[in-house]
Amino acid sequence: MDFFSDTVALSRSQFALTAIFHMLWPVLTTGLGIYLVIVEGVWLKTRNPDYYYHARFWSKLYVLNFGIGVATGIPMEFQFGTNWAPFSEAVGNFFGSIIGFEASWAFMLEAAFLGIMVFGWERVNPTIHFISTILVAFGANLSTFWILTANSWMQTPAGGELVDGTFIVSDYFQAIFNPFMAVSVSHMFLGTLETSLFVIGGISAWYILKNRQSAFFSKAFKIALATAIVVAPLQIYVGHLSGEQVHYKQPTKLAAMEAQWETIPAGQSAAWSLLAIPNEKAEKNDWEITVPNALGYILELKPKLSAPVEGLKAYKPEDRPRKVGLIYYAFRTMIAIGFFFAGLMLITVLQWLRGKLSPETIDQQKWLMRGWILAAPLGYIAVESGWIVRCVGRQPWIVYGQIRTADAASALPPGNVLTSLTGFALTYTLLFIAALYFGSRIIRRGPRLDLPLPGSVENQPAVETQPGEFVPDERPVEAQQ
């Protein structure tokens, strides 16, 4: 069937476009929110004004990403009712409530305290402001929890069964804590945090390379680096756990990730495909570079497999993922970026231990700073690649093993879907250009270091000492309130 007359293909393309574009923004806000908690907490403890100015500067990027994330997230969710109505009717008993939790618990919590975090510096008690920042960060990451819970359930449905085309929940907690949930939430949480850390580090490296406030931005750089020491290797480990789950729970996805056409029996060693050109029509790889005996170490940390790795040819063509090449290279892109981050972090730590990252010498590390600038956008590519593997690899199922994607799409005229798809593409292109413009303007202008600190005399409300005479109230903010 021609793409432009295939409603399912058009609806899938529209959802892919809106999801990929929307994902760019909460990826940064979830991790950046945690960073804002760190720098504000350090400022409250040390009263070093640099950390206050960092909190004010980075919160501007937070607000920009939050605004575009909201504008693009709502239309994406509306598609469950427009383009995927049969899916919503079938699984709304569980899936609908989880999406509702994300909106009412997480998004509303984040939105409610965002105003205090951004505009409340001179208006509320510092402790109240810090609590607001914590709640904003918590709300952003709570969204990750609920969204990954819903998607994990689509990967490994649990807690009920389909009865006459409707999923009936028998155990709500079993559905929430489905087999994929814990690892998926952890993997995404670490992915968003790692992306944010390398964005913060990359922007800071840009300032250092330009000799603009090098000492100031070396503080942000070192906070990002210190956190990445834990996050980068932990993300690789959790990614390995995710791959193990796919091995046992979604063998067709694993076969597509590895472009594995033939089944490898248990007890045998297996080579790992480093690079290949998958040929779906011929059901083979036209060209391939392999690493001998590596697949067993990757999947089970031992040379010989204890369980078979089923090949794509073990399944009927209609029951296996399409676009094997896309899945195969998206998976390798994600892995390569993860190891690049870990390597860059390790090299930077060694330079730190050698005393090369002091405020006086950090601007001499030009190649290292260029490496961090290069790393800044790579986290986004890794996250998007991971979602491609996760969702395209799940096909042809929208709920793995139970509901096919073709049966979950609304019966809409192809022309209508094509019109909305085109509209989204144009609108999101404009939004992306606007985001780049305003984001680059925030970065080019840099932090405002002339802002008065909360509680300083310049910010105190006037009090009347004699009729008609006012002086600043120099009492601490706590005493004034």
Side-chain angles (χ1 to χ4, degrees):
M1 183 182 293
D2 178 65
F3 172 79
F4 295 102
S5 60
D6 187 343
T7 297
V8 176
L10 288 167
S11 291
R12 286 185 64 192
S13 298
Q14 178 174 295
F15 196 87
L17 170 67
T18 55
I20 286 173
F21 187 79
H22 168 69
M23 189 62 62
L24 295 172
W25 317 107
V27 161
L28 187 62
T29 55
T30 49
L32 188 54
I34 295 173
Y35 177 82
L36 290 174
V37 170
I38 293 173
V39 292
E40 185 172 350
V42 173
W43 173 66
L44 289 175
K45 182 174 179 60
T46 66
R47 291 297 173 173
N48 184 330
D50 280 355
Y51 295 106
Y52 169 73
Y53 295 128
H54 272 298
R56 296 296 297 264
F57 172 70
W58 295 105
S59 65
K60 294 178 182 178
L61 290 175
Y62 187 99
V63 172
L64 175 65
N65 280 263
F66 175 83
I68 301 179
V70 172
T72 56
I74 293 174
M76 186 181 72
E77 291 192 359
F78 280 171
Q79 290 175 83
F80 290 120
T82 55
N83 297 68
W84 303 97
F87 167 75
S88 299
E89 291 176 3
V91 303
N93 291 338
F94 175 73
F95 190 87
S97 60
I98 296 299
I99 297 301
F101 290 158
E102 189 276 329
S104 59
W105 292 20
F107 169 69
M108 294 306 295
L109 177 66
E110 182 182 9
F113 287 92
L114 182 65
I116 299 176
M117 187 188 84
V118 176
F119 302 110
W121 287 102
E122 294 86 19
R123 294 176 172 84
V124 300
N125 181 286
T127 303
I128 298 300
H129 188 278
F130 185 50
I131 291 173
S132 299
T133 304
I134 292 173
L135 291 175
V136 167
F138 178 73
N141 286 275
L142 188 59
S143 287
T144 300
F145 171 81
W146 287 121
I147 291 170
L148 266 294
T149 294
N151 187 269
S152 297
W153 179 85
M154 293 168 67
Q155 307 285 339
T156 50
E161 60 180 347
L162 279 175
V163 179
D164 296 329
T166 300
F167 185 80
I168 305 300
V169 182
S170 59
D171 188 330
Y172 208 83
F173 287 101
Q174 187 182 16
I176 291 176
F177 296 100
N178 59 79
F180 265 25
M181 190 277 285
V183 173
S184 296
V185 171
S186 302
H187 196 34
M188 187 62 185
F189 167 75
L190 291 170
T192 58
L193 181 55
E194 187 174 34
T195 299
S196 301
L197 293 175
F198 280 90
V199 168
I200 294 166
I203 293 173
S204 300
W206 180 83
Y207 279 101
I208 293 168
L209 200 60
K210 295 288 186 180
N211 274 321
R212 287 184 58 186
Q213 301 165 319
S214 296
F216 178 81
F217 277 100
S218 68
K219 291 183 171 66
F221 183 82
K222 289 178 181 177
I223 290 175
L225 174 60
T227 312
I229 292 172
V230 177
V231 172
L234 187 58
Q235 173 69 322
I236 292 174
Y237 173 70
V238 174
H240 167 71
L241 296 180
S242 182
E244 282 187 344
Q245 287 191 325
V246 170
H247 175 31
Y248 294 109
K249 299 291 185 181
Q250 295 183 329
T252 55
K253 180 187 290 187
L254 177 67
M257 289 161 55
E258 300 298 340
Q260 185 68 44
W261 300 96
E262 304 293 342
T263 297
I264 305 171
Q268 290 190 10
S269 59
W272 178 63
S273 173
L274 178 63
L275 295 172
I277 301 178
N279 186 333
E280 291 188 52
K281 290 184 178 180
E283 297 185 331
K284 67 174 186 176
N285 296 329
D286 291 336
W287 172 84
E288 191 173 21
I289 298 176
T290 61
V291 180
N293 304 322
L295 187 58
Y297 286 105
I298 292 172
L299 294 177
E300 301 178 5
L301 302 179
K302 57 186 179 181
K304 293 186 178 181
L305 298 165
S306 61
V309 174
E310 296 179 341
L312 288 166
K313 291 169 71 173
Y315 297 88
K316 297 177 181 179
E318 61 270 20
D319 292 336
R320 60 173 87 148
R322 304 291 178 86
K323 304 186 184 302
V324 174
L326 174 64
I327 300 167
Y328 178 88
Y329 277 103
F331 179 59
R332 276 147 184 79
T333 298
M334 177 179 62
I335 291 175
I337 292 172
F339 278 98
F340 175 79
F341 281 166
L344 181 62
M345 175 274 298
L346 180 60
I347 293 171
T348 311
V349 168
L350 292 175
Q351 292 296 88
W352 195 359
L353 294 175
R354 294 175 60 199
K356 301 295 185 179
L357 300 186
S358 66
E360 296 77 25
T361 60
I362 193 171
D363 56 357
Q364 299 172 14
Q365 305 298 309
K366 297 188 183 301
W367 284 106
L368 189 62
M369 296 301 107
R370 291 190 183 103
W372 277 81
I373 293 171
L374 173 65
L378 294 183
Y380 294 102
I381 298 173
V383 170
E384 300 287 13
S385 297
W387 276 96
I388 288 171
V389 173
R390 187 176 181 87
C391 295
V392 179
R394 189 187 62 235
Q395 302 304 317
W397 308 97
I398 193 167
V399 178
Y400 192 79
Q402 297 195 21
I403 302 176
R404 290 181 178 269
T405 304
D407 299 328
S410 302
L412 299 171
N416 291 8
V417 184
L418 181 59
T419 300
S420 60
L421 172 59
T422 304
F424 276 121
L426 293 173
T427 303
Y428 285 1
T429 298
L430 294 175
L431 273 176
F432 188 68
I433 293 171
L436 289 179
Y437 171 75
F438 287 109
S440 62
R441 190 170 74 167
I442 291 171
I443 294 170
R444 287 196 308 270
R445 288 185 173 181
R448 282 193 58 189
L449 304 183
D450 59 339
L451 291 172
L453 297 175
S456 64
V457 172
E458 300 153 81
N459 269 340
Q460 303 309 317
V463 293
E464 190 172 16
T465 55
Q466 298 179 16
E469 294 186 7
F470 294 85
V471 298
D473 186 351
E474 299 185 15
R475 293 176 299 161
V477 174
E478 294 88 342
Q480 295 173 25
Q481 298 182 2

